[in-house]
């Protein structure tokens, strides 16, 4: 099995790693730049989020601070909008942009946005697939008589690719909603919106990188399988 450990297909893994590192560096750079610039409105990210939700007629979502950096998320299961500690009480362009983005997810949920519903529905299956896919593939590669494990592992890993693919419209739509809400609600000036757009665009690139990385991994698995046969 020497080709499994040292083979040209590792270049695909390397490409994925490089793309992920570049995307991560860009989002951190954009966030750090605009977390130092406060908006003229003077509102905190938590206050803006509360106003956005109230204006959208959403009253069953709890806004709360959570630990970590850039760990912000909306949880449709318990209707919580979780803002990282650096975002929650911040008045910066970056923080308010991130908070508005998460509000975009809450609005998607309230409106029954189909891609978000589909993504949420497949999360349990994707979790199982991502956990079992590689062990099954390794078993199939190491034991010739268990080639079926490779096929099953690839099918399970394909669910990860599907998840990443579905995530794209969900995230871009949430960012689009965020910018429109911040503009129409008068929460930011046009100049400030430019900074928020850069932060959210950089964040979106991380999802693009994740999808490309997953696709490259799938291609590599298919190449290894064909070589084995």
């Amino acid at each position: 099995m020497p080709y499994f450990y040292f083979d040209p297909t590792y270049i695909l893994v390397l490409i994925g790693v490089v793309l992920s590192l570049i995307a991560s560096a860009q989002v951190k750079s954009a966030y750090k730049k605009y977390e130092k610039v406060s908006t003229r409105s003077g509102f905190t990210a938590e206050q803006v989020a509360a106003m956005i939700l109230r204006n959208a007629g959403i009253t069953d979502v709890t806004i709360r601070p959570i630990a970590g950096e850039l760990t912000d998320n909306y949880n449709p299961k318990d209707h919580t909008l979780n803002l990282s500690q650096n975002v929650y009480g911040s008045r910066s362009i970056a923080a308010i942009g991130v908070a508005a983005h998460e509000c975009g997810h809450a609005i998607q949920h309230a409106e029954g946005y189909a891609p978000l519903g589909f993504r949420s529905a497949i999360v349990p299956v994707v979790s199982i697939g991502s956990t079992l896919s590689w062990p099954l593939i390794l078993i199939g590669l190491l034991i010739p008589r268990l080639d079926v494990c490779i096929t099953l592992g690839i099918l399970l890993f394909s669910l990860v690719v599907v998840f990443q693919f579905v995530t794209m419209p969900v995230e871009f739509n949430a960012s689009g909603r965020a910018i429109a809400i911040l503009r129409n609600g008068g929460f930011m000036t046009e100049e400030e919106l430019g900074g928020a757009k850069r932060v959210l665009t950089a964040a979106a690139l991380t999802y693009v990188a994740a999808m490309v990385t997953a696709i490259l991994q799938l291609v590599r698995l298919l190449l290894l399988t064909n070589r084995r046969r």
Side-chain angles (χ1 to χ4, degrees):
M1 297 288 295
Y3 67 84
F4 178 67
Y5 299 99
F6 304 100
D7 68 89
T9 64
Y10 273 122
I11 190 65
L12 298 177
V13 177
L14 181 60
I15 292 173
V17 170
V18 171
L19 288 175
S20 296
L21 289 174
I22 292 174
S24 178
Q26 287 187 336
V27 71
K28 288 181 180 179
S29 175
Y31 185 84
K32 287 186 179 299
K33 177 179 180 179
Y34 290 101
E35 74 172 341
K36 299 175 183 178
V37 184
S38 297
T39 60
R40 296 177 186 175
S41 68
F43 294 122
T44 65
E46 183 273 333
Q47 291 173 328
V48 170
M51 287 186 281
I52 290 175
L53 295 178
R54 184 171 60 250
N55 292 341
I58 299 174
T59 59
D60 61 345
V61 172
T62 301
I63 305 171
R64 63 185 186 186
I66 57 172
E69 183 178 1
L70 296 179
T71 52
D72 312 87
N73 67 88
Y74 169 69
N75 189 335
K77 291 184 178 180
D78 59 8
H79 295 256
T80 58
L81 196 151
N82 306 293
L83 300 178
S84 57
Q85 293 174 341
N86 291 340
V87 168
Y88 188 86
S90 174
R91 292 177 169 80
S92 73
I93 291 173
I96 292 175
V98 169
H101 173 88
E102 299 307 330
C103 287
H105 286 311
I107 296 172
Q108 287 175 339
H109 186 211
E111 294 180 352
Y113 182 62
L116 177 66
F118 179 69
R119 186 179 73 169
S120 299
I122 66 174
V123 165
V125 180
V126 173
S127 179
I128 294 173
S130 62
T131 300
L132 296 180
S133 59
W134 283 105
L136 286 171
I137 291 167
L138 287 173
I139 291 172
L141 288 170
L142 294 171
I143 305 175
R145 294 182 180 179
L146 295 180
D147 280 352
V148 66
C149 289
I150 300 177
T151 301
L152 182 57
I154 290 176
L155 289 175
L156 289 175
F157 188 79
S158 297
L159 296 175
V160 177
V161 176
V162 171
F163 179 81
Q164 295 294 349
F165 184 78
V166 174
T167 293
M168 296 291 292
V170 173
E171 297 300 330
F172 278 96
N173 179 268
S175 290
R177 290 172 185 262
I179 296 301
I181 289 170
L182 292 174
R183 175 183 287 113
N184 297 335
F187 296 109
M188 287 187 180
T189 65
E190 283 299 319
E191 182 180 356
E192 292 168 346
L193 277 172
K197 285 180 181 179
R198 281 188 278 275
V199 172
L200 295 182
T201 298
L205 290 178
T206 63
Y207 295 102
V208 174
M211 183 184 71
V212 173
T213 298
I215 291 173
L216 291 174
Q217 286 279 22
L218 181 60
V219 170
R220 178 172 182 265
L221 290 175
L222 293 172
L223 290 173
L224 288 174
T225 301
N226 289 335
R227 183 184 299 181
R228 173 67 177 272
R229 291 172 179 172

